């Protein structure tokens, strides 16, 4: 079986975005069936053995020195049966030069996993096309990303769901609420993700304001944000100015292992993003008895439409407010979580995805 080397400019738990969490678990699970090494300029996490970690010391700008470090490390390394895994997202084109050069000089077999489709124009089209067209295999973490890159690079792009081996929490809803300090009588709306503009975290707050204080009080609504980011102070100030502090909680960044408690404790999972590839938290929510409300961003809508989920127009506060009101209070509303659970189990089995990745990278 092939051995894998993951190039991780950003490494979990130093960074806790979807890309880093995805790589963390893929490295961990692949390590159970074959040899896996990690190359990074960040410190070695405790769970990665010293023998499996290659640290590259860098100076600002880190991307430039990291790229040179990778090149010289691999120029003289033994590459038999090695598959180098590169995560492609928004970065300077110089980051991709080592793999193109090593392909020419050493016949390096590298695999590119595309994590973002919203990259704007490439500043160096020649380098980007060379990166993709010389790759041993190309993967995209959403159907929309795969379709876009198939057209732009004229190469096969394999769909790789951005999964992790989700741990189901077996505690009852009441026990999870007790653990998290959430009152048993509240109707809980959960939003998981970074508090930055592309995620539109201001939209749920605006929707609550539109629904009005009396409605929120009567229906005992509680909006819980799990995550942090540059907009947090602004959002907290907005909540205070609107006088709805008792209906909104900011729980900040939580350990990955605690997310199942939040999902089990909540009534609605809400994702209001302007753009998404295919968010991990949404995929995880599919497996829980929780109603899902999402924007019509491509990476969200493509999932929700598959089982007739609850979709609202991006940026439309009134549409979101009306949809939340319907899901939470309309006695004629038919819950959809049974369909979302079925869709998850039919489409997103982690072990199947893992073995497919191994097979496609032979």
């Amino acid at each position: 079986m092939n051995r894998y080397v993951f190039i991780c400019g950003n490494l979990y738990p130093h960074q806790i975005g979807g890309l880093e969490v995805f790589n963390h678990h893929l490295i961990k699970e692949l390590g159970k069936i074959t040899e896996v090494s990690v190359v990074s300029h960040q410190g070695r996490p405790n769970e990665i053995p010293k023998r499996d970690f290659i640290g590259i010391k860098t100076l600002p700008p880190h991307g430039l020195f990291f790229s040179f470090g990778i090149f010289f490390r691999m120029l003289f390394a033994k590459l038999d049966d090695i598959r180098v895994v590169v995560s492609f997202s928004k970065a300077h084109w110089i980051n991709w030069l080592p793999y193109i050069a090593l392909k020419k000089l050493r016949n390096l077999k590298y695999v590119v996993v595309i994590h973002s489709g919203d990259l704007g124009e490439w500043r160096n089209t020649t380098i980007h096309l060379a990166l993709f067209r010389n790759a041993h295999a190309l993967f995209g973490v959403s159907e929309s990303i795969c379709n876009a890159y198939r057209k732009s690079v004229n190469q096969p792009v394999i769909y790789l769901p951005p999964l992790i081996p989700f741990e189901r929490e077996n505690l009852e809803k009441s026990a999870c609420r007790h653990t998290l300090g959430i009152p048993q009588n509240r109707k809980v709306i959960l939003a998981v993700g970074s508090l930055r503009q592309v995620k539109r975290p201001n939209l749920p707050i605006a929707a609550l304001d539109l629904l009005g204080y009396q409605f929120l009080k009567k229906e005992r609504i509680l909006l819980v944000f799990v995550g942090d980011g540059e907009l947090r102070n602004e959002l907290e100030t907005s909540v205070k100015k609107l006088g709805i502090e008792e209906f909104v909680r900011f729980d900040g960044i939580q350990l990955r292992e605690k997310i199942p408690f939040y999902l089990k404790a909540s009534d609605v999972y809400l994702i209001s993003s302007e753009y998404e590839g295919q968010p991990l938290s949404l995929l995880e929510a599919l497996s829980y008895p929780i109603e899902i409300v999402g924007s019509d961003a491509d990476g969200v809508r493509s999932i929700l439409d598959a089982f007739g989920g609850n979709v609202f127009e991006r940026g439309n506060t009134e549409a979101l407010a009306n949809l939340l009101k319907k899901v939470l209070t309309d006695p004629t509303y038919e819950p959809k979580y049974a369909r979302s659970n079925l869709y998850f189990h039919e489409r997103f089995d982690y072990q199947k995805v893992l073995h497919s990745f191994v097979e496609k990278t032979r």
Side-chain angles (χ1 to χ4, degrees), residues 295-354:
S295 73
D296 60 0
D298 288 345
V300 176
R301 181 161 203 157
S302 61
I303 293 175
L304 299 188
D305 280 352
F307 61 88
N310 301 297
V311 180
F312 66 93
E313 181 186 9
R314 275 173 286 186
N316 190 327
T317 304
E318 184 176 359
L320 173 56
N322 289 337
L323 191 51
L324 288 173
K325 186 175 183 179
K326 178 181 179 181
V327 171
L328 289 168
T329 67
D330 188 343
T332 66
Y333 174 77
E334 182 182 344
K336 299 178 180 180
Y337 65 80
R339 281 184 274 169
S340 64
N341 292 172
L342 179 62
Y343 176 70
F344 174 85
H345 291 296
E346 288 179 343
R347 190 77 189 274
F348 300 113
D349 181 285
Y350 190 83
Q351 291 305 314
K352 289 180 182 177
V353 171
L354 182 69

Side-chain angles (χ1 to χ4, degrees), residues 83-356:
R83 298 293 181 268
V84 171
V85 182
V86 181
S87 298
F88 182 82
S89 60
K90 194 167 187 176
H92 195 281
W93 58 265
I94 202 167
N95 287 273
W96 317 124
L97 281 176
Y99 314 107
I100 301 166
L102 289 164
K103 172 66 177 180
K104 301 294 185 185
L105 296 172
R106 299 287 317 278
N107 193 30
L108 174 71
K109 291 181 173 62
Y110 64 88
V111 174
V112 179
V113 182
I114 307 167
H115 284 265
S116 179
D118 187 26
L119 299 176
E121 292 186 9
W122 292 336
R123 295 183 65 182
N124 193 316
T125 302
T126 302
I127 296 298
H128 283 90
L129 288 177
L131 173 73
F132 295 125
R133 290 175 179 172
N134 284 285
H136 184 68
L138 295 176
F139 294 88
V141 299
S142 75
E143 295 284 12
S144 59
I145 286 175
C146 290
N147 291 333
Y149 278 80
R150 285 177 193 130
K151 292 177 182 177
S152 61
V153 304
N154 196 29
Q155 293 284 104
V157 183
I158 305 161
Y159 174 48
L160 178 67
L163 291 177
I164 65 174
F166 298 125
E167 298 293 334
R168 290 298 304 273
E169 182 48 60
N170 293 321
L171 292 176
E172 294 296 323
K173 187 174 192 173
S174 59
C176 290
R177 288 194 170 194
H178 177 75
T179 299
L180 299 173
I182 295 175
Q184 300 294 336
N185 66 342
R186 303 298 287 269
K187 293 179 180 177
V188 180
I189 303 166
L190 175 67
V192 179
S194 56
L195 302 180
R196 52 197 179 96
Q197 191 57 46
V198 72
K199 302 292 185 180
R200 299 300 295 270
N202 58 308
L203 202 65
I205 293 171
L208 261 58
D209 181 49
L210 191 61
L211 287 168
Y213 182 90
Q214 293 304 321
F215 174 86
L216 301 178
K217 188 76 173 177
K218 177 186 175 184
E219 299 298 334
R220 305 179 304 280
I221 304 298
L222 179 63
L223 170 62
V224 179
F225 286 102
V226 174
D228 213 336
E230 64 264 21
L231 293 182
R232 178 164 178 171
N233 289 340
E234 179 183 323
L235 294 170
E236 289 179 332
T237 300
S238 175
V239 166
K240 289 178 182 177
K241 285 183 177 179
L242 294 171
I244 56 173
E245 302 103 303
E246 64 189 281
F247 308 111
V248 183
R249 254 176 62 164
F250 293 90
D251 282 18
I253 294 173
Q254 298 292 324
L255 292 173
R256 168 69 245 159
E257 294 75 17
K258 209 167 183 180
I259 300 303
F261 284 82
Y262 280 94
L263 287 166
K264 197 69 177 285
S266 301
D267 300 291
V268 173
Y269 168 89
L270 171 62
I271 180 165
S272 54
S273 302
E274 184 71 24
Y275 171 82
E276 285 287 353
Q278 198 160 75
L280 274 173
S281 61
L282 171 57
L283 296 184
E284 186 169 13
L286 292 174
S287 68
Y288 280 81
I290 184 173
E291 292 302 294
I292 298 174
V293 172
S295 73
D296 60 0
D298 288 345
V300 176
R301 181 161 203 157
S302 61
I303 293 175
L304 299 188
D305 280 352
F307 61 88
N310 301 297
V311 180
F312 66 93
E313 181 186 9
R314 275 173 286 186
N316 190 327
T317 304
E318 184 176 359
L320 173 56
N322 289 337
L323 191 51
L324 288 173
K325 186 175 183 179
K326 178 181 179 181
V327 171
L328 289 168
T329 67
D330 188 343
T332 66
Y333 174 77
E334 182 182 344
K336 299 178 180 180
Y337 65 80
R339 281 184 274 169
S340 64
N341 292 172
L342 179 62
Y343 176 70
F344 174 85
H345 291 296
E346 288 179 343
R347 190 77 189 274
F348 300 113
D349 181 285
Y350 190 83
Q351 291 305 314
K352 289 180 182 177
V353 171
L354 182 69
H355 286 95
S356 175

